[in-house]
């Protein structure tokens, strides 16, 4: 069996790596294609070696700032690989343009589509991620849900009546977090390097919407400044975003550190006492490392974390963020609950993938 | 209000023309973009004049034979027009790649999407048209259904729970057929030109799947040859398809005529006594001109015509086609039934479009 895996970001690549190892063990011929949607200095040869992830055979660098053009050229790039490789299954992850582009290209060539992290919803069609998820799910043949809620979402949209198969396999990120978390302290000296001695909150602000609409960035910076008076706030940030912080007329008094490699990030997560993030990935990582979190968003596709008290929605309004922070900083929930399958997702995905077409 | 209309084929263009006149009357600033998916000698300056259709401001010629690349480049082409024109609404028609590409580009720029001929389904995700329809519908804000069945389809998929508006406006093609049908005899001398004196069946075979899989073309040709022994069969055919007829080892004994302009086609339809077609457009035109039809397909998105006895599915199997032909040639159904709104669609579309965002 030949599988073409289409990957759009560092974070997808790390999750795909776990599946790659399982597919390899089952004798599946997997070809990786990196759309390089977020290619930067972070995805390098060293990265692949350090993370023990197979190097993609294809890397299609998309040069455009227009979202439509990015999607369009990705479709064409994936199609070229499909024509060359003739895979039986195309595997995509999450809710990026890469996932949708891969699915559309595969659909045009009648290649079966498997979607990892299927069924997630925030209920807002204004969100690019939501649209990518919805449309990718709709044309997928094999849907791997990370939670029972995601499975329920698909059922409520009638997917049981469609000609596709749906499985709740759990979240791959959980096993990835456990695995890299167990070795990160030998790979990173970030705590020493930054001279951290006290408790701190870890925050991430990466959504491009917040840099398009600086009032949102401002709300977040205001809140983080206030929190920083109580305990240090650390914000890893890509170089290219620094100029926006200079534009908003509020001096950030928290600690901005250069964008980190994965192990540094894991170490910072493990040693923090609370996480504030606009990323669904970091929100789950916080949970896996036993940290409460505040979402710097109005919504989350990982609703279980909010429903079960591990996370609160803080939006981008400084007051809301502070209310959520004050609530979450004192909460001590039980982190041993099994919400996302306890780290067996990649094994289950590989198992279903190699057998799904048999009956 | 500014509307960008994205159009992918001659047949879409003719329907869009009817809407254009209504939008113009309401003071809407409409810009037409032709993706030229099917550009050929048929869409010319003369065509626009003769049909009284506004000439598109944009025409993006897509040069590729790969379906993914066609879709991808269309997205980019439409996006460029969106960036330049900044429309409030993007209007798409039917189930072509152009419709999906337009919708995806608009979605990326948070432009509202209106979809004409929404809600049609054949229940087969292997069909490119079906996928284009499904995905376009899913991200549209304003869905114009051509029939009550199409509206029901959307309801059964949960669209009433989504943040979009749905209207059954009827089929634009009906008013288009009535209008052009009333003037076609002054515009075309095709009956004389071909020297037609006797009754005849009109057939169309245009789906590219049938030229990719010649066994299907063969089944159709065999059936048409048999029918031609009873009465003449006339097949308008584009030049580029002739070579496939030479490849199948069955000599077509029916009459193949060069691909026709719209008025010639309407005249041929009006004077035929039965229609055999692989086109949903021609299937409806047959109904509007009071002709029974046989679908040269396994399925149709215009199920009402089959359910109400105006059409039968003949597939591409010569035996099935002949059974359906023999049944339909003797049927005399009542063609005055109101299935598709009796020719008020374009007026209703323009009305809803100009008011939908008011409350």
């Amino acid at each position: 069996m030949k599988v073409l895996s289409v990957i759009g970001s560092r974070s997808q690549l790390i999750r795909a790596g776990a599946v790659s190892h399982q597919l390899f063990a089952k004798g599946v011929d997997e070809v990786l294609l990196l759309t390089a949607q977020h290619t930067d200095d972070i995805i390098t040869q060293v990265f692949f070696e350090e993370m023990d992830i197979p190097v993609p055979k294809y890397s299609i660098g998309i040069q455009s700032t227009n979202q439509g053009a990015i999607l369009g050229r990705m479709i064409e790039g994936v199609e070229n690989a499909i024509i060359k490789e003739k895979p039986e299954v195309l595997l995509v992850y999450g809710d990026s343009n890469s996932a949708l582009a891969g699915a559309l290209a595969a659909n045009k060539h009648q290649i079966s589509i498997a979607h990892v992290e299927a069924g997630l919803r925030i209920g807002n069609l204004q969100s690019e991620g939501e649209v990518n998820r919805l449309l990718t799910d709709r044309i997928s043949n094999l849907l791997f849900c990370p939670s029972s809620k995601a499975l329920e979402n698909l059922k409520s949209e009638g997917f049981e009546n469609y000609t596709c198969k749906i499985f709740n396999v759990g979240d791959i990120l959980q096993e990835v977090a456990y695995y890299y978390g167990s070795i990160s302290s030998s790979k990173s000296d970030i705590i020493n390097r930054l001279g951290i001695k006290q408790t701190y909150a870890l925050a991430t602000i990466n959504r491009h919407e917040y840099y398009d609409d600086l009032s949102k960035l401002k709300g977040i910076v205001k809140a983080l400044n206030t929190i920083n008076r109580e305990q240090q706030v650390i914000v890893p940030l890509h170089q290219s975003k620094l100029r926006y912080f200079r534009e908003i007329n509020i001096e950030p008094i928290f600690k901005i550190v250069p964008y980190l490699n994965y192990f540094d990030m894991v170490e910072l997560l493990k040693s923090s006492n609370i996480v504030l993030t606009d990323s669904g990935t970091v929100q789950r990582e916080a949970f896996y490392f036993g940290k409460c979190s505040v979402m710097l968003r109005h919504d989350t596709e990982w609703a279980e974390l909010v429903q079960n008290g591990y996370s609160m929605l803080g939006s981008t309004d400084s007051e809301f963020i502070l209310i959520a922070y004050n609530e979450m900083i004192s909460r001590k929930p039980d982190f041993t609950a099994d919400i996302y399958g306890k780290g067996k997702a990649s094994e289950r995905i590989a198992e279903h993938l190699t057998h799904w077409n048999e009956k």
Side-chain angles (χ1 to χ4, degrees), chain A:
Chain A
M1 175 184 254
K2 190 170 195 174
V3 172
L4 177 64
S5 298
V6 174
I7 291 148
S9 64
R10 180 175 78 154
S11 142
Q12 282 185 15
L13 193 53
I14 291 168
R15 271 128 62 206
V19 176
S20 292
H21 288 294
Q22 298 282 349
L23 291 176
F24 183 79
K26 288 184 180 295
V28 172
D29 180 11
E30 188 198 25
V31 174
L32 294 179
L33 179 151
L34 186 63
T35 58
Q37 195 179 352
H38 304 280
T39 291
D40 45 32
D41 40 346
I42 284 115
I43 308 184
T44 59
Q45 191 62 36
V46 175
F47 168 80
F48 291 104
E49 280 164 24
E50 200 167 54
M51 306 299 291
D52 188 22
I53 291 174
V55 177
K57 181 167 175 187
Y58 297 90
S59 183
I60 50 169
I62 310 290
Q63 302 293 334
S64 179
T65 51
N66 291 331
Q67 292 297 311
I70 290 170
L71 178 67
R73 292 180 202 174
M74 280 182 182
I75 295 170
E76 195 168 348
V78 175
E79 176 173 66
N80 289 336
I82 286 173
I83 291 169
K84 260 193 210 156
E85 299 289 338
K86 302 190 188 13
E88 286 155 81
V89 176
L90 182 124
L91 186 60
V92 293
Y93 292 79
D95 60 7
S96 58
N97 277 320
S98 304
L100 178 58
L104 287 169
N107 179 274
K108 294 281 175 217
H109 292 266
Q110 309 274 316
I111 309 291
S112 297
I113 302 160
H115 186 206
V116 177
E117 293 173 5
L120 299 167
R121 297 290 183 266
I122 54 170
N124 175 11
L125 267 179
Q126 300 292 98
S127 149
E128 183 174 68
E130 183 85 343
V131 167
N132 288 338
R133 276 192 288 268
L134 281 173
L135 302 190
T136 303
D137 281 347
R138 193 63 185 83
I139 54 176
S140 289
N141 305 83
L142 193 51
L143 296 110
F144 295 121
C145 300
S147 67
S148 52
K149 177 75 165 61
L151 191 86
E152 284 309 313
N153 289 341
L154 292 179
K155 283 186 183 174
S156 78
E157 290 175 22
F159 275 68
E160 283 185 313
N161 306 323
Y162 305 153
T163 52
C164 59
K165 292 191 180 178
I166 314 173
F167 301 100
N168 174 10
V169 295
D171 183 18
I172 304 180
L173 189 67
Q174 185 162 24
E175 64 199 281
V176 170
Y178 286 173
Y179 173 67
Y180 291 118
S182 71
I183 59 170
S184 60
S185 52
S186 69
K187 299 270 192 176
S188 162
D189 63 346
I190 185 82
I191 304 294
N192 277 336
R193 216 162 77 229
L194 296 179
I196 300 172
K197 298 261 189 301
Q198 313 253 291
T199 66
Y200 63 92
L202 177 66
T204 73
I205 321 164
N206 289 313
R207 302 196 103 191
H208 67 79
E209 296 97 298
Y210 298 172
Y211 298 89
D212 288 345
D213 177 354
L214 291 182
S215 72
K216 289 176 178 163
L217 183 61
K218 214 164 166 171
I220 294 171
V221 169
K222 245 168 112 174
L224 297 186
N225 273 352
T226 306
I227 295 168
N228 196 76
R229 287 187 199 107
E230 260 184 46
Q231 69 167 339
Q232 187 163 54
V233 176
I234 300 177
V235 181
L237 202 71
H238 197 273
Q239 184 77 16
S240 63
K241 296 211 164 77
L242 285 175
R243 67 177 178 91
Y244 297 99
F245 281 78
R246 289 190 291 269
E247 278 175 30
I248 54 172
N249 292 326
I250 306 177
E251 183 71 28
I253 60 169
F254 47 82
K255 192 177 182 72
I256 294 177
V257 302
Y259 203 50
L260 303 169
N261 78 31
Y262 184 74
F263 288 116
D264 287 342
M265 189 64 194
V266 167
E267 280 295 284
L268 269 191
L269 257 167
K270 281 164 63 182
S271 301
S272 67
N273 76 349
I274 191 167
V275 174
L276 299 107
T277 181
D278 59 351
S279 148
T281 303
V282 177
Q283 186 186 23
R284 273 132 71 218
E285 284 173 328
F287 171 71
Y288 298 139
F289 292 124
K291 310 296 170 185
C292 283
S293 66
V294 172
M295 267 314 250
L296 302 173
R297 274 165 46 181
H298 297 277
D299 47 39
T300 177
E301 62 275 30
W302 304 95
E304 306 86 359
L305 295 177
V306 177
Q307 282 154 10
N308 292 293
Y310 301 101
S311 188
M312 257 183 95
L313 296 175
S315 90
T316 55
D317 180 286
S318 60
E319 272 186 59
F320 283 120
I321 296 170
L322 291 171
I323 291 168
Y325 170 80
N326 286 323
E327 169 63 31
M328 295 313 295
I329 195 76
S330 57
R331 257 194 217 172
K332 303 269 174 265
D334 170 17
F335 281 99
T336 61
D338 179 10
I339 296 180
Y340 294 117
K342 284 272 180 202
K344 295 275 175 209
S346 69
E347 199 181 313
R348 293 182 189 133
I349 288 169
E351 182 65 23
H352 290 307
L353 203 55
T354 42
H355 293 295
W356 80 286
N357 226 351
E358 281 173 8
K359 337 147 211 195

